[in-house]
């Protein structure tokens, strides 16, 4: 027996010891396909990025963390949310998966102690066990960007909401954003470089090496001439808010921002601040697609402005429809929208919802051309008008969640553009007490239904909403949150795409046929 044969036998023995189920049966040579269907298993790690909330001294920011209960998830885990500048491979604020508590805290110094004697900033919140939200607050204009990591039991479907109330000044009102996973490309239709707008694109690097980013701006006539938009370096564990008006001298009211990461990855979001209409976050639009859904336009919207962009060279012709409470209708005078390649197209739809729940449905009139889109929504009257943004989004898939819902201040909008569907809506326990409550809703084809989420029993604090697809056609969802401050006429809207809490993992057995070749 030669040395090669001995090595192969030793390798097989080691494989059997590691896997626990390797066998030395003769391989199946029948030619039958023995591959098994992929299983859906809970993810084991989730990373999220929260942008710096505001530069206003009047800003009051709340952070809410929530992980839905996921069947098959690990029994234990860790989770932490820390300032980007304090993040390290030994980040503080970890939880042990038993009671949701952080490590020991030095109250006098305001710092958390780690093993090994290291110290770092006290985390803004300590995520609680799955099924219960955890909250934390900051105030003023110096709050940094935050980086979050969840592992094990805390990872599947982990959701973080950043909500800021600003009492006065440019961008006053309620600003909300879901903290997002870092990526390499983002689209933001609906930004602006107009004189009455102050728009920033926030780039946050969660990694240990620098990221290099290009920012491209597109107006109604194509690409805007920019000066310093290429090769922007974002240092490790740092956040860089870039004022769009410093990238170009052109003043355009309808701009699409393209963030392309050459190396590394970042989290990105656009903060859009208006001198008269308040402000909010413009979250990244869903991936370019031939058909798009923009869910959850409030029924009392006084103005809805649609911005669409075709990333390729081909033009797109879109049919514009509103999924109302009774079915699909076509807005009079706005039946179609022509979008030229690499140009931003916009249209003012006015009070398109006319007192009813509504969602925009964009479909190709002929050949499908990938586009991205978003709307700016204005509510209120006179000096009390406020604005928010809704990007086109993916459907809820298997499950989606949104955090930071407050009693009598949250409305959930559900739409099923293509067919009948059924969803289960669950309100979690409150962050300070209460019990879960659930209700099932049936949606008719082409309709949008606004619902008040089922109230958690004995609610104390804020709660999370989880939408689970039960049957039927794809469902799209958005949550509108109203300000609880009577002096701040604010609102914000977040979409609910699939939380990607599970991943497809193919089943596989060892195939020792390779040892005989």
């Amino acid at each position: 027996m030669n040395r090669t044969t001995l090595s192969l036998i030793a390798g097989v023995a080691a494989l059997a010891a590691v896997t626990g189920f390797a066998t030395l049966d003769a391989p199946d040579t029948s030619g039958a396909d023995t591959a098994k269907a992929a299983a859906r298993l809970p993810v084991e790690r989730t990373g999220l990025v929260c942008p710096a909330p505001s530069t206003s001294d009047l800003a009051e920011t709340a952070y809410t963390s929530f992980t839905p209960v996921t069947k098959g998830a690990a029994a234990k885990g860790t989770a932490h949310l820390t300032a980007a500048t304090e993040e390290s491979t030994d980040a503080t604020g970890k939880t042990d998966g038993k009671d949701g508590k952080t490590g020991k805290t030095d109250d006098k110094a305001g710092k958390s102690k780690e093993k090994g004697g290291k110290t770092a900033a006290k985390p803004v919140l300590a995520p609680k066990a799955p099924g219960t939200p955890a909250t934390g607050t900051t105030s003023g204009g110096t709050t940094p960007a935050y980086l979050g990591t969840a592992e094990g039991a805390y990872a599947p479907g982990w959701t973080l909401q950043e909500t800021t109330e600003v009492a006065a000044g440019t961008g006053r009102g309620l600003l909300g954003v879901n903290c997002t996973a870092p990526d390499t490309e983002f689209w933001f239709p609906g930004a602006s470089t107009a004189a009455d707008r102050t728009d920033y694109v926030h780039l946050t690097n969660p990694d240990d090496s620098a990221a290099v980013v290009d920012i491209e701006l597109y107006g109604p006539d194509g690409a805007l001439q920019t000066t310093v938009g290429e090769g922007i370096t974002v240092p490790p564990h740092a956040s860089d808010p870039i004022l769009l008006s410093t990238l170009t001298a052109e003043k355009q009211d309808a701009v699409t921002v393209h963030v392309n990461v050459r190396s590394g990855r970042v989290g990105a979001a656009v903060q859009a601040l208006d001198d008269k209409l308040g402000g909010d976050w413009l979250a990244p639009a869903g991936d370019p697609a031939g058909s798009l859904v923009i869910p959850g336009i409030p029924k009392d919207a006084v103005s809805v402005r649609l911005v669409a962009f075709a990333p390729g060279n081909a033009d797109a012709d879109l049919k514009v429809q509103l999924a109302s409470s009774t079915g699909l209708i076509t807005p009079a005078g706005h039946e179609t929208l022509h979008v030229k390649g690499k140009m931003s197209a916009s249209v003012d739809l006015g009070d398109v919802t006319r007192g009813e729940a509504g969602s925009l449905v964009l479909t190709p009139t002929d050949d499908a051309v990938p586009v991205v889109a978003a709307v700016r929504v204005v509510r209120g009257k006179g000096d009390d008008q406020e604005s928010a943004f809704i990007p086109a989004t993916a459907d809820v898939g298997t499950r989606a969640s949104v955090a930071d819902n407050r009693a009598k201040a949250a409305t959930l909008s559900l739409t099923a553009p293509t067919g009948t569907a059924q969803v289960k809506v669950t309100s979690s326990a409150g962050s300070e007490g209460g019990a879960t409550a659930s209700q099932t809703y049936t949606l008719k084809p082409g309709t949008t239904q606004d619902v008040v989420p089922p109230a958690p029993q004995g609610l104390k604090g804020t709660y999370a909403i989880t939408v689970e697809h039960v049957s039927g056609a794809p469902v799209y969802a958005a949550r509108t949150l109203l300000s609880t401050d009577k002096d701040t006429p604010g609102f914000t809207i977040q979409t609910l795409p699939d939380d990607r809490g599970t991943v497809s993992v193919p089943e596989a057995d060892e195939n020792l046929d390779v040892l005989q070749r």
Side-chain angles (χ1 to χ4, degrees), residues 23 29 101-102 182 228 236 242-243 260 273-274 280 303 320 336 351 435 451 460 466 495:
T23 66
T29 58
K101 296 180 180 179
T102 58
V228 291
I242 298 171
L243 182 61
N260 184 53
L273 310 176
D274 192 283
D280 208 344
S303 174
V320 180
T336 61
D351 56 343
V451 301
K460 294 182 180 179
T466 298
T495 59

Side-chain angles (χ1 to χ4, degrees), residues 422-484:
Q422 192 174 63
V423 295
K424 179 182 177 182
V425 176
T426 300
S427 297
S428 74
S431 56
E432 299 174 15
T436 61
S438 298
Q439 189 168 341
T440 299
Y441 299 91
T442 299
L443 307 174
K444 296 180 180 180
T447 65
T448 297
Q449 185 176 346
D450 280 356
V451 301
V452 176
Q457 301 175 11
L459 172 65
K460 294 182 180 179
T462 66
Y463 65 98
I465 298 171
T466 298
V467 179
E468 297 174 273
H469 185 264
V470 177
S471 63
V475 174
Y476 299 78
R479 185 279 315 270
T480 298
L481 180 67
L482 304 181
S483 173
T484 55

Side-chain angles (χ1 to χ4, degrees), residues 82 86 88-93 103-104 111-121:
T82 348
E86 297 291 339
S88 69
T89 53
D90 294 319
T92 61
K104 295 181 179 179
K111 296 181 178 180
S112 297
K113 291 186 177 181
E114 294 180 17
K115 294 179 180 179
K118 295 182 180 181
T119 60

Side-chain angles (χ1 to χ4, degrees), residues 106-144:
D106 181 351
D107 292 330
K108 294 181 180 180
K111 296 181 178 180
S112 297
K113 291 186 177 181
E114 294 180 17
K115 294 179 180 179
K118 295 182 180 181
T119 60
K122 184 178 179 180
V124 68
L125 62 77
K128 293 183 179 179
T132 304
T135 61
T137 59
T138 64
S139 56
T142 60
T143 299

Side-chain angles (χ1 to χ4, degrees), residues 11-37:
V12 170
L15 180 64
V18 171
T19 63
F21 55 82
T23 66
L24 292 178
D25 294 339
D28 182 3
T29 58
S30 64
D33 184 4
T34 58
K36 297 181 179 180

Side-chain angles (χ1 to χ4, degrees), residues 51-55 59 61 63 138 140 143-146 162 164 175 202 271 281:
S54 177
T55 57
T61 301
Y63 294 88
T138 64
T143 299
Y146 282 92
E162 176 185 290
T164 303
L175 295 80
H202 285 244
Q271 190 177 46
W281 289 97

Side-chain angles (χ1 to χ4, degrees), residues 120-341:
K122 184 178 179 180
V124 68
L125 62 77
K128 293 183 179 179
T132 304
T135 61
T137 59
T138 64
S139 56
T142 60
T143 299
Y146 282 92
L147 307 179
T149 302
E151 298 178 344
Y154 294 81
W158 190 36
T159 300
L160 274 171
Q161 167 89 16
E162 176 185 290
T163 310
T164 303
E165 293 196 59
V166 180
T170 298
R172 55 97 177 103
L174 191 67
L175 295 80
V177 65
N178 283 327
C179 303
T180 57
D183 208 337
T184 57
E185 187 177 42
F186 305 87
W187 295 97
F188 300 97
S192 176
T193 58
D196 56 354
R197 283 275 289 273
T198 306
D199 287 15
Y200 294 85
V201 56
H202 285 244
L203 305 174
T204 305
N205 180 3
D207 297 326
D208 295 332
S209 57
V212 180
V213 180
D214 295 334
I215 299 177
E216 300 168 331
L217 306 179
Y218 296 91
D221 299 319
L224 303 184
Q225 185 176 359
T226 58
T227 53
V228 291
E230 295 184 357
I232 299 172
T233 299
V234 185
H237 307 146
S239 185
D240 191 3
I242 298 171
L243 182 61
L244 295 186
S245 60
T246 63
L247 301 180
T248 181
E250 298 187 46
K251 300 297 182 183
Q252 298 287 350
D253 197 34
V255 174
T256 298
V257 179
H258 180 214
V259 175
N260 184 53
V261 185
R262 289 193 208 174
S263 63
R265 56 180 191 152
V266 299
V270 170
Q271 190 177 46
L273 310 176
D274 192 283
D275 290 344
K276 297 180 180 180
L277 298 176
D280 208 344
W281 289 97
L282 173 56
D287 293 336
S291 298
L292 300 174
V293 178
I294 303 174
I297 300 174
K299 61 183 180 181
D300 60 351
V302 297
S303 174
V304 176
R305 188 182 195 198
L306 169 65
V307 179
F309 178 78
N313 293 318
D315 293 358
D317 287 294
L318 300 173
K319 183 178 182 180
V320 180
Q321 292 179 292
L322 182 75
S324 69
S325 59
T326 56
L328 289 170
I329 60 175
T330 301
H334 302 295
E335 294 83 3
T336 61
L337 177 65
H338 181 69
V339 186
K340 295 182 179 179

Side-chain angles (χ1 to χ4, degrees), residues 368-393:
V369 174
V371 294
V372 293
V375 298
R376 185 182 74 169
V377 176
V378 178
R379 295 174 64 249
K381 298 179 181 180
D383 294 337
D384 289 338
Q385 284 193 326
E386 177 68 283
S387 58
F389 296 86
I390 314 173
T393 186

